[in-house]
Amino acid sequence: MRRKVIAGNWKMHFSPLETEKFLNELVPLLENKAGLDWIVFPPSVSLFKAKEKLNKSFIKFGAQNCHQEQKGAFTGEISALMLKELGCQYCLVGHSERRQYFNETSMACNLKIKALINQGITPIYCVGETLKEREEGKTEKVLKEQITSGLKDINLNDSLVVAYEPVWAIGTGVVATPQQVEEAHKLIRLCLADTVFNQKRAAEISILYGGSVKPENSQELSMLSQVDGFLVGGASMVAKSFAQIGQIPL
Ligand code: PEP
C-alpha cells in the first residue's frame, strides 16, 4: 500500500521567526490528520526552528536542496550529512526552479539522491516538462530522461518519492487536467518499473502531483488512482489551505 503524502515547499519564504509563527498555526490544524505523511520544506536557515517546533509532532520536515559531497570547499552549500544531523527525513531534489535557475541537471540530481540515500534521507525527486516541451510532444521523452538519469543505479530497497511537477503549472495558477496528471503518473511508474526498479517496487513508490494545487482542485486530483498526494508551493504557506488539501481519501 502506497503512503499518501502532503508536502509543502516554502521556497525562499519564512525566516526562523516566521517559521515559528506559521507552525504555531499549522500544528493544531493538523491534529487529527496523522494518517497521511505531512512534510514541510522550510528554507535551510529555518530547519533548526522546524526541528524545535515539530519535536513532538507527526509532521516531518525536510530540506529543499543539498550538495552531493559530505563536506569540503563548497562555499554556501549544505550536505546530506548536515541535514541528517538537523533531523531532516526528506529532501527535495531537482525542483524545476533549481533546474531552471541553478542549471541543475538530472545527472547532478542523481549524485544528490545517492548522497541523501546514504544518509537515510528520503529524496523527493521532482520531474516535469516545460510548456514548450509539452507543445512539441516531448513530454514522454523528457520524463523518461529525467527518471532514467536522475535515478540511475538506485537500489531496489532505497527509499524514494517522485513528484510530477509540470513546469508550466508551477506558480502559474494553471493546474494540469486530471487526464494529463494520470497519463504522466502512469508513464513515470512504467519508466520506474522498466528502467529503475521492477514492477513490484515501482508499484510501491508514491508519486505526488505538484503545480498550482489548492483546496479547490485537490479533491478531484486526489481521486485519481495514480496520485499519491501533492507537493504544494503557494498554498502550503497558508495554514488553512494546506490543511484542507490534506482532506483526501486514504
Ligand atoms: C512547487 O513549488 O513545487 C509548486 C508546486 O508550487 P505551486 O503550488 O505554487 O505551483
Side-chain angles (χ1 to χ4, degrees):
M1 183 80 172
R2 294 195 289 269
R3 298 283 306 167
K4 299 270 181 182
V5 180
I6 306 290
N9 173 19
W10 297 354
K11 312 189 188 212
M12 200 170 71
H13 297 283
F14 291 172
S15 69
L17 276 178
E18 290 165 328
T19 294
E20 177 164 27
K21 198 165 157 246
F22 181 76
L23 290 176
N24 281 343
E25 195 186 343
L26 182 69
V27 171
L29 288 179
L30 300 189
E31 219 158 51
N32 302 316
K33 297 186 173 168
L36 300 170
D37 285 342
W38 292 91
I39 316 163
V40 292
F41 290 90
S44 44
V45 290
S46 300
L47 286 171
F48 194 74
K49 182 56 79 181
K51 180 186 166 94
E52 205 177 278
K53 295 299 297 176
L54 299 175
N55 192 20
K56 294 194 181 83
S57 167
F58 57 81
I59 306 170
K60 295 162 187 155
F61 63 93
Q64 297 173 14
N65 180 37
C66 77
H67 192 270
Q68 64 268 24
E69 298 295 335
Q70 284 199 10
K71 55 181 160 181
F74 302 104
T75 303
E77 293 292 316
I78 298 175
S79 74
L81 183 71
M82 293 165 179
L83 296 179
K84 180 72 186 171
E85 191 178 315
L86 269 174
C88 292
Q89 293 184 49
Y90 294 86
C91 183
L92 300 179
V93 179
H95 189 280
S96 71
E97 285 151 17
R98 295 215 53 90
R99 291 181 191 262
Q100 187 181 349
Y101 304 127
F102 303 96
N103 301 321
E104 214 162 273
T105 62
S106 296
M107 271 161 72
C109 291
N110 184 248
L111 299 177
K112 293 180 183 209
I113 287 171
K114 287 175 182 161
L116 288 163
I117 288 171
N118 278 337
Q119 296 304 326
I121 298 174
T122 301
I124 299 193
Y125 181 47
C126 305
V127 296
E129 79 289 356
T130 61
L131 184 59
K132 185 166 180 280
E133 288 163 343
R134 176 163 281 271
E135 284 174 350
E136 288 173 354
K138 293 183 182 157
T139 301
E140 184 171 340
K141 183 169 169 276
V142 169
L143 293 179
K144 278 187 176 166
E145 190 281 325
Q146 290 175 338
I147 291 289
T148 47
S149 335
L151 299 176
K152 190 169 184 287
D153 299 329
I154 300 301
N155 296 317
L156 208 56
N157 294 323
D158 290 340
S159 178
L160 174 79
V161 173
V162 175
Y164 169 58
E165 296 209 308
V167 181
W168 46 271
I170 298 180
T172 57
V174 180
V175 67
T177 66
Q179 194 191 338
Q180 287 169 325
V181 175
E182 194 74 345
E183 270 172 22
H185 283 219
K186 271 189 187 152
L187 183 88
I188 290 167
R189 202 175 299 287
L190 206 66
C191 192
L192 287 173
D194 289 348
T195 64
V196 184
F197 301 122
N198 56 32
Q199 216 167 346
K200 182 174 174 291
R201 180 70 185 119
E204 294 166 355
I205 302 288
S206 297
I207 305 180
L208 317 182
Y209 168 75
S212 298
V213 173
K214 294 181 188 66
E216 304 86 70
N217 55 35
S218 58
Q219 287 301 311
E220 188 182 14
L221 292 171
S222 70
M223 305 303 276
L224 301 173
S225 66
Q226 293 294 322
V227 172
D228 305 308
F230 301 110
L231 177 53
V232 189
S236 76
M237 291 176 269
V238 180
K240 274 189 191 150
S241 299
F242 191 50
Q244 258 181 289
I245 288 168
Q247 282 167 355
I248 61 175
L250 290 175

